[in-house]
């Protein structure tokens, strides 16, 4: 998945089968930014209005589930130079789910809300930029897509 930085028009982020990358020149060249992540594979990626990047790494192309059976979202407030694991409120054992390419979204609030769905039919939400999470739905079929609309 490719996501554009909302304030830096030439900055893009990419997570795919072969790594996690950033481009600062309009997608002409790409730099690996996966140091600090448990895996370089996955699909769920989004960027908030403040420029924070959010990723859900998966084990590998042949093992499309969370690393170590722990559901974690990784956040970078430094454009991918440093990553921190966000897990408060998320399952941290025996959780082998997938987060698909279009199943992660962020809202436009100042302290952004982040939402993602899993192949296990759960939808999780964070109202504090990923610091803590709550399940908002648990028993859906596999979640293929998540969209967010901010209402005023």
């Amino acid at each position: 998945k490719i996501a554009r930085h909302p304030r830096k028009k030439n900055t893009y982020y990419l997570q795919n089968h072969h790594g996690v990358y950033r481009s600062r020149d309009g997608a002409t060249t790409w730099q690996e930014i996966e140091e600090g992540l448990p895996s370089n594979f996955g699909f769920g990626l989004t960027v908030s209005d403040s420029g924070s990047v959010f990723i859900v790494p998966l084990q590998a192309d042949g093992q499309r589930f969370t690393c170590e059976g722990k559901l974690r979202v990784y956040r970078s407030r430094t454009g991918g130079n440093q990553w921190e694991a966000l897990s408060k409120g998320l399952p941290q054992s025996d959780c082998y789910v997938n987060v698909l390419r279009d199943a992660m979204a962020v809202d436009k609030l100042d302290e952004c809300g982040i939402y993602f769905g899993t192949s296990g039919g759960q939808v999780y939400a964070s109202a504090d930029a990923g610091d803590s999470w709550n399940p908002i739905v648990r028993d859906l079929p596999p979640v293929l897509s998540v969209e967010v609309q901010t209402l005023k």
Side-chain angles (χ1 to χ4, degrees):
K1 179 169 183 172
I2 294 178
R4 184 178 59 79
H5 191 295
R7 294 186 185 153
K8 297 178 181 177
K9 301 300 182 197
N10 286 329
T11 300
Y12 293 86
Y13 298 93
L14 168 69
Q15 183 179 28
N16 66 15
H17 293 266
H18 306 290
V20 183
Y21 305 94
R22 174 186 58 224
S23 173
R24 291 185 171 150
D25 59 8
T28 300
T29 61
W30 294 90
Q31 172 189 15
E32 288 184 356
I33 57 169
E34 55 206 39
E35 186 175 335
L37 295 171
S39 168
N40 70 350
F41 177 78
F43 301 113
L45 175 139
T46 192
V47 182
S48 71
D49 275 0
S50 68
S52 291
V53 183
F54 298 91
I55 293 176
V56 179
L58 301 176
Q59 189 68 36
D61 189 19
Q63 299 171 320
R64 294 184 181 198
F65 49 79
T66 54
C67 301
E68 303 169 2
K70 299 176 181 182
L71 184 52
R72 295 172 288 184
V73 175
Y74 282 77
R75 174 177 61 202
S76 177
R77 292 180 168 154
T78 61
N81 294 326
Q82 299 169 324
W83 295 97
E84 60 182 313
L86 308 171
S87 61
K88 184 178 178 184
L90 297 174
Q92 294 303 293
S93 64
D94 301 319
C95 184
Y96 297 94
V97 296
N98 186 350
V99 176
L100 297 174
R101 182 171 327 225
D102 294 323
M104 189 173 202
V106 63
D107 65 30
K108 303 284 185 190
L109 299 174
D110 287 340
E111 184 169 43
C112 69
I114 305 135
Y115 312 84
F116 69 90
T118 73
S119 58
Q122 302 86 22
V123 177
Y124 292 93
S126 171
D128 55 11
D131 290 334
S132 62
W133 298 89
N134 289 298
I136 56 176
V137 178
R138 294 180 190 238
D139 299 314
L140 294 173
V143 178
L144 306 178
S145 179
V146 172
E147 293 289 329
V148 177
Q149 179 66 46
T150 305
L151 302 174
K152 292 185 178 186

